[in-house]
Amino acid sequence: MDEVKDMRNIIKTEFLKLKRYSVIKAGIIMTTLSPLLSLFYSTANGGPTWTFDYFMQQVMISNCTLFFPIIIALIAGYIITREYTDDTMKNILTIPIPYKQLLSGKLLILLLLTISFSLIGCVIALVINIIVGFPGVHFGNLLNMFIRVTGANIGIYISVLPIILIFCCSANNFLGGVALAFVYGYFGTFEGTLLNYYPIKASMILVDPTCGAEYGYTYHIFPAFITIVLTFLISMIILANKKKKPGTLTVGKKKKAVRKKGW
């Protein structure tokens, strides 16, 4: 019961901290760019017949391959390393909370942010669709849209977790993790049967097995599901073996030059 109470307090505290984090605004902006970029595709490519379903499929692909790997890694690195840049870790260390528990609370906040950004992206996509007038919008499609987009983004969250736990927990290396997340997501734009076992692609396959149909590829849900489960288990193993003490994760500070006394 004490651990549950501690986790509840960690999550509550992290929510209060989010109010002053400018990176959340950056995440919302990047979430907005995804449907806008998909709209650009619709005006640039006159081949396919654009419907609401096809538009949302393009939004999902943009989320998974371009925007959400970066958003998740960037926000994760920011909220984790902020304890060191703001010099608040020394205050947290006075509370008997294991570092792994603190890190787990931050990751849960990141999951809630992923769901929130998914909802924001869906609302923006719906507004764009109303303005542009793609056909095929009804209540069933709207519900299906939210479930598919949110499910795919949660899959991306799981896919990026190993990068977060390896790179983004270090105040000096998390930007490298963000860059790696970008490359990681970019390779999800490729097509091929082996990509059924690629976590980024598997996230899309789970909610849309026909995502490669226009390129002549057929994907399967079961191997994609196994891929996501294994990625999650690997992440939990990495988290369970986080033996480095939080006090050792410090940001390098420049030493001030000491003036010599006298002439």
Side-chain angles (χ1 to χ4, degrees):
M1 291 298 294
D2 290 338
E3 291 183 0
V4 174
K5 184 178 179 181
D6 289 340
M7 183 61 69
R8 191 185 304 121
N9 290 333
I10 290 172
I11 293 174
K12 182 180 179 181
T13 303
E14 291 300 323
F15 264 119
L16 294 175
K17 292 178 182 178
L18 291 179
K19 295 180 180 179
R20 65 175 190 268
Y21 287 166
S22 58
V23 72
I24 303 301
K25 297 177 182 178
I28 294 174
I29 292 173
M30 294 180 72
T31 301
T32 305
L33 289 176
S34 180
L36 289 175
L37 182 62
S38 299
L39 177 64
F40 172 76
Y41 289 157
S42 70
T43 58
N45 185 4
T49 301
W50 281 76
T51 62
F52 178 71
D53 286 338
Y54 190 79
F55 174 60
M56 289 311 303
Q57 184 185 51
Q58 299 308 308
V59 171
M60 184 184 70
I61 293 173
S62 295
N63 284 345
C64 294
T65 59
L66 295 177
F67 292 99
F68 263 77
I70 300 174
I71 292 172
I72 293 170
L74 179 64
I75 295 179
Y78 190 90
I79 65 177
I80 293 172
T81 61
R82 200 68 187 175
E83 305 296 351
Y84 313 113
T85 55
D86 288 346
D87 200 22
T88 55
M89 183 59 76
K90 62 183 180 182
N91 297 326
I92 296 175
L93 289 176
T94 62
I95 306 171
I97 295 178
Y99 177 62
K100 285 183 283 191
Q101 189 175 6
L102 175 65
L103 188 57
S104 298
K106 291 179 180 291
L107 293 178
L108 283 175
I109 289 294
L110 185 62
L111 175 60
L112 294 176
L113 286 174
T114 299
I115 297 173
S116 299
F117 288 151
S118 300
L119 177 59
I120 293 172
C122 287
V123 171
I124 293 172
L126 178 60
V127 171
I128 291 175
N129 188 85
I130 292 173
I131 294 173
V132 177
F134 293 135
V137 182
H138 52 78
F139 177 76
N141 274 14
L142 293 175
L143 180 60
N144 183 53
M145 169 193 73
F146 175 74
I147 293 174
R148 288 171 59 194
V149 171
T150 304
N153 290 341
I154 291 175
I156 296 301
Y157 166 83
I158 295 174
S159 301
V160 179
L161 271 181
I163 293 177
I164 293 172
L165 292 170
I166 294 174
F167 293 95
C168 297
C169 292
S170 171
N172 299 315
N173 296 326
F174 93 86
L175 289 178
V178 175
L180 180 60
F182 169 76
V183 176
Y184 186 41
Y186 175 74
F187 279 105
T189 61
F190 298 166
E191 301 290 344
T193 53
L194 288 179
L195 288 175
N196 219 133
Y197 303 94
Y198 189 66
I200 295 292
K201 198 72 174 182
S203 302
M204 294 186 282
I205 295 170
L206 283 176
V207 298
D208 184 14
T210 63
C211 61
E214 61 182 314
Y215 301 102
Y217 291 99
T218 301
Y219 295 111
H220 304 283
I221 291 180
F222 182 72
F225 175 76
I226 294 299
T227 299
I228 294 298
V229 170
L230 288 177
T231 304
F232 179 76
L233 291 177
I234 291 172
S235 301
M236 293 303 98
I237 292 172
I238 297 173
L239 178 61
N241 287 276
K242 277 285 180 182
K243 296 181 179 180
K244 184 178 282 189
K245 296 181 180 179
T248 62
L249 298 173
T250 55
V251 180
K253 295 183 179 180
K254 294 181 179 180
K255 294 182 179 180
K256 293 183 179 179
V258 180
R259 288 186 177 183
K260 294 182 180 180
K261 294 182 180 180
W263 294 95

